[in-house]
C-alpha cells in the first residue's frame, strides 16, 4: 500500500496538491491577512504568498527528482547520512501529524458551531479519524481518485457562490490600492504560510508519479489554482464586508455566504453548500497528512504500514484535543505555519545543494 509501484498521473498529482492546500484558508485567510495589513490590499499578499509557494515547491520537486523512485524518508539518508536523515524525517512526521490534527480540530469546530451544535468534539474527531483511516489503507491511488471526485464539486460550488455574492460586492471597499504602501502587504505575506503549505507534499508525491519529470509542472499548476481561489476569496470577502467587517469575524468566508440570499429559489441561503465543500477539503488535507505521516513511520522505523496507521490514530486524537478553545486552535495553526516556514523554506535549498555536491563528487 506504500509501494511506489502504485503510480499516479501528473493530473492526479496536481489535484492532490490542490486539495491538500484548499483547507481552512478559504474560511479564515481573509481575517488573518487583513488583521496584519489593516488595508484592502490583502489580495496582493495572497498573490505574493502564492509566488513564494511556487518557488518553494519547485525547489522541493527538483530535489525529489534527484531520487525519483524514493520518498524523502528514504533518500534523505543519501544526502545527510542515516542518523541525521532519520532525525529530519521524524521532524517531518511530527509536522504532518500536527497539521493533520489542526485540520481535524478545525473541522470539529466548524461542524459543532454551524451544523451539529452541542455535539462533543471527541465524537466528531473520532468519526473523522476512523473514516480517514479507512480512506488511506489502500494507498495513494484511491486517495487520488477520491480527490478527483471532490475537486470538480468544489470548483462548481465555489464559483457559483462567488458569482452570487456579486450582488453585495462593493468595489470601493478595495480602494485605494497600496494606499498605505507596500509594507502592510509584506506583513500580510507571512500570514499566508498555513494556507500555502503544500510544497512539502512533493517530498512524497514524486516517488509515486508516473512521470517524475512533470513534478514542477504539477506544483506550478496546483499552486496557481489555489492562489486563484484564495485571491477570489479575499477580493469577494473584503469587497462585501469591508476591512473593518472582516477583522471582527472569526469565519469571514462563511459570513459572506450568510450575508446574501436570493428570494424565489429553493435554497435561499448558501452557506451550507460552502460548509459541505470545505468540510470535504479539510478532510482531504487531513487524510493526505495522515498518509504522509504513516508512510514516514513505516519507512523510517521499518514497520508494517497498517500498524503505523492504527498507531498514529491516538496521537492525532490527542493532538487535536489539546487546544482548549477556538483561540488555542488558531494558535496551533500559527505554530504549524511557522514550523513550515522554517523547515520548508531553507532546508530544501540546503539539501538540494548538498545532493548536487555529493553527486558531483561521485562522478
Amino acid at each position: 500500500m506504500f509501494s511506489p509501484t502504485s503510480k499516479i498521473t501528473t493530473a492526479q498529482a496536481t489535484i492532490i496538491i490542490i486539495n491538500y492546500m484548499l483547507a481552512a484558508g478559504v474560511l479564515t485567510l481573509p481575517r488573518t491577512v487583513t488583521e496584519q495589513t489593516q488595508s484592502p490590499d490583502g489580495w496582493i499578499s495572497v498573490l505574493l504568498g502564492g509566488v513564494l509557494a511556487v518557488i518553494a515547491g519547485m525547489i522541493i520537486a527538483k530535489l525529489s527528482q534527484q531520487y525519483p523512485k524514493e520518498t524523502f524518508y528514504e533518500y534523505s539518508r543519501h544526502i545527510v547520512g542515516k542518523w541525521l536523515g532519520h532525525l529530519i524525517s521524524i521532524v517531518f512526521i511530527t509536522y504532518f501529524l500536527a497539521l493533520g490534527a489542526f485540520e481535524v480540530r478545525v473541522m470539529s469546530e466548524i461542524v459543532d458551531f454551524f451544523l451539529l451544535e452541542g455535539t462533543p468534539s471527541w465524537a466528531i474527531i473520532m468519526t473523522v479519524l476512523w473514516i480517514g483511516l479507512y480512506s488511506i489503507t489502500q494507498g495513494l491511488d484511491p486517495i487520488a481518485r477520491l480527490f478527483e471526485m471532490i475537486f470538480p464539486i468544489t470548483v462548481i460550488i465555489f464559483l457559483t457562490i462567488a458569482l452570487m455574492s456579486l450582488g453585495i460586492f462593493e468595489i470601493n471597499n478595495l480602494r485605494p490600492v497600496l494606499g498605505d504602501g507596500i509594507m502592510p502587504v509584506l506583513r500580510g505575506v507571512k500570514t499566508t504560510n498555513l494556507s500555502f503549505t503544500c510544497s512539502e507534499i512533493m517530498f512524497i508525491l514524486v516517488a509515486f508519479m508516473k512521470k517524475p519529470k512533470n513534478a514542477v509542472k504539477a506544483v506550478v499548476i496546483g499552486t496557481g489554482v489555489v492562489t486563484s481561489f484564495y485571491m477570489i476569496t479575499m477580493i469577494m470577502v473584503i469587497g462585501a464586508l469591508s476591512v473593518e467587517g472582516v477583522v471582527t469575524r472569526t469565519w469571514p468566508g462563511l459570513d459572506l455566504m450568510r450575508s446574501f440570499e436570493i428570494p424565489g429559489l429553493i435554497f435561499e441561503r448558501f452557506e451550507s453548500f460552502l460548509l459541505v465543500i470545505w468540510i470535504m477539503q479539510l478532510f482531504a488535507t487531513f487524510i493526505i497528512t495522515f498518509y504522509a505521516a504513516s508512510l514516514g513511520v513505516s519507512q523510517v522505523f521499518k514497520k508494517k504500514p497498517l500498524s503505523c496507521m492504527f498507531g498514529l490514530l491516538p496521537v492525532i486524537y490527542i493532538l487535536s484535543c489539546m487546544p482548549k478553545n477556538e483561540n488555542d486552535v488558531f494558535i496551533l495553526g500559527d505554530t504549524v505555519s511557522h514550523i513550515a516556514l522554517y523547515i520548508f523554506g531553507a532546508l530544501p535549498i540546503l539539501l538540494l545543494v548538498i545532493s548536487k555536491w555529493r553527486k558531483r563528487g561521485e562522478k
Side-chain angles (χ1 to χ4, degrees):
M1 64 184 65
F2 284 155
S3 173
T5 56
S6 177
K7 297 294 185 178
I8 60 175
T9 65
T10 303
Q12 287 178 319
T14 303
I15 289 176
I16 289 175
I17 292 171
I18 294 171
N19 282 274
Y20 180 52
M21 293 177 69
L22 281 177
V26 167
L27 305 180
T28 61
L29 187 64
R31 174 180 54 79
T32 56
V33 173
T34 306
E35 283 177 344
Q36 291 296 318
T37 62
Q38 292 296 316
S39 75
D41 297 324
W43 63 272
I44 304 177
S45 300
V46 171
L47 177 60
L48 294 177
V51 171
L52 294 177
V54 168
I55 295 172
M58 291 174 64
I59 293 172
I60 293 175
K62 287 292 185 182
L63 172 62
S64 296
Q65 284 173 337
Q66 304 290 315
Y67 310 90
K69 296 182 179 180
E70 296 179 308
T71 68
F72 176 83
Y73 304 120
E74 296 171 311
Y75 70 68
S76 59
R77 70 193 70 174
H78 304 317
I79 301 176
V80 295
K82 179 180 179 180
W83 295 108
L84 185 55
H86 282 351
L87 179 61
I88 297 174
S89 295
I90 291 172
V91 173
F92 278 29
I93 292 168
T94 304
Y95 165 78
F96 283 123
L97 289 173
L99 180 57
F102 170 73
E103 301 296 344
V104 171
R105 182 56 185 269
V106 170
M107 198 185 317
S108 171
E109 293 289 330
I110 292 174
V111 171
D112 177 47
F113 188 79
F114 291 101
L115 298 177
L116 302 175
E117 186 176 353
T119 304
S121 293
W122 65 264
I124 300 172
I125 292 171
M126 288 295 293
T127 302
V128 172
L129 290 181
W130 284 108
I131 297 174
L133 174 65
Y134 175 78
S135 302
I136 69 171
T137 52
Q138 297 304 312
L140 192 61
D141 187 52
I143 295 174
R145 291 199 296 268
L146 173 63
F147 287 5
E148 285 178 313
M149 292 187 291
I150 293 175
F151 178 63
I153 298 173
T154 300
V155 172
I156 292 171
I157 294 179
F158 176 79
L159 293 180
T160 300
I161 293 175
L163 289 173
M164 288 180 173
S165 66
L166 287 174
I168 59 173
F169 180 81
E170 177 55 62
I171 189 65
N172 288 329
N173 287 336
L174 295 171
R175 296 171 177 164
V177 177
L178 295 178
D180 297 324
I182 193 66
M183 290 309 298
V185 172
L186 297 180
R187 287 198 302 269
V189 172
K190 188 176 180 181
T191 60
T192 65
N193 290 340
L194 184 60
S195 297
F196 281 117
T197 50
C198 82
S199 50
E200 67 273 8
I201 201 61
M202 295 308 295
F203 281 123
I204 311 298
L205 287 186
V206 175
F208 293 88
M209 292 181 66
K210 291 180 180 178
K211 297 181 179 180
K213 64 181 181 180
N214 291 337
V216 172
K217 177 181 177 182
V219 169
V220 173
I221 296 175
T223 309
V225 170
V226 174
T227 302
S228 300
F229 266 80
Y230 285 150
M231 285 183 64
I232 291 172
T233 301
M234 287 293 302
I235 291 171
M236 296 307 298
V237 170
I238 295 177
L241 303 179
S242 78
V243 171
E244 294 76 14
V246 169
V247 296
T248 58
R249 289 170 163 85
T250 303
W251 312 99
L254 284 175
D255 288 335
L256 170 64
M257 300 302 106
R258 303 170 80 179
S259 299
F260 69 89
E261 59 183 49
I262 301 179
L265 295 182
I266 296 176
F267 300 101
E268 295 187 358
R269 304 300 292 267
F270 297 92
E271 67 268 19
S272 298
F273 292 102
L274 188 65
L275 280 172
V276 168
I277 62 172
W278 250 263
I279 287 173
M280 289 193 297
Q281 290 299 334
L282 288 165
F283 179 74
T285 303
F286 161 64
I287 61 174
I288 198 66
T289 55
F290 190 7
Y291 178 81
S294 301
L295 174 66
V297 174
S298 176
Q299 292 184 338
V300 171
F301 298 102
K302 309 300 181 184
K303 301 296 182 180
K304 293 182 179 180
L306 199 59
S307 300
C308 298
M309 294 174 184
F310 277 98
L312 291 179
L313 272 182
V315 177
I316 298 175
Y317 176 78
I318 292 171
L319 288 174
S320 63
C321 290
M322 286 178 65
K324 302 299 182 183
N325 50 50
E326 199 172 73
N327 289 333
D328 288 345
V329 174
F330 291 126
I331 291 173
L332 174 61
D334 290 339
T335 303
V336 171
S337 69
H338 291 151
I339 292 173
L341 177 63
Y342 295 125
I343 295 179
F344 305 118
L347 185 61
I349 300 175
L350 179 61
L351 292 177
L352 182 60
V353 171
I354 295 174
S355 175
K356 288 187 174 293
W357 178 74
R358 281 183 175 273
K359 289 197 171 186
R360 285 182 181 178
E362 292 172 358
K363 292 181 179 179

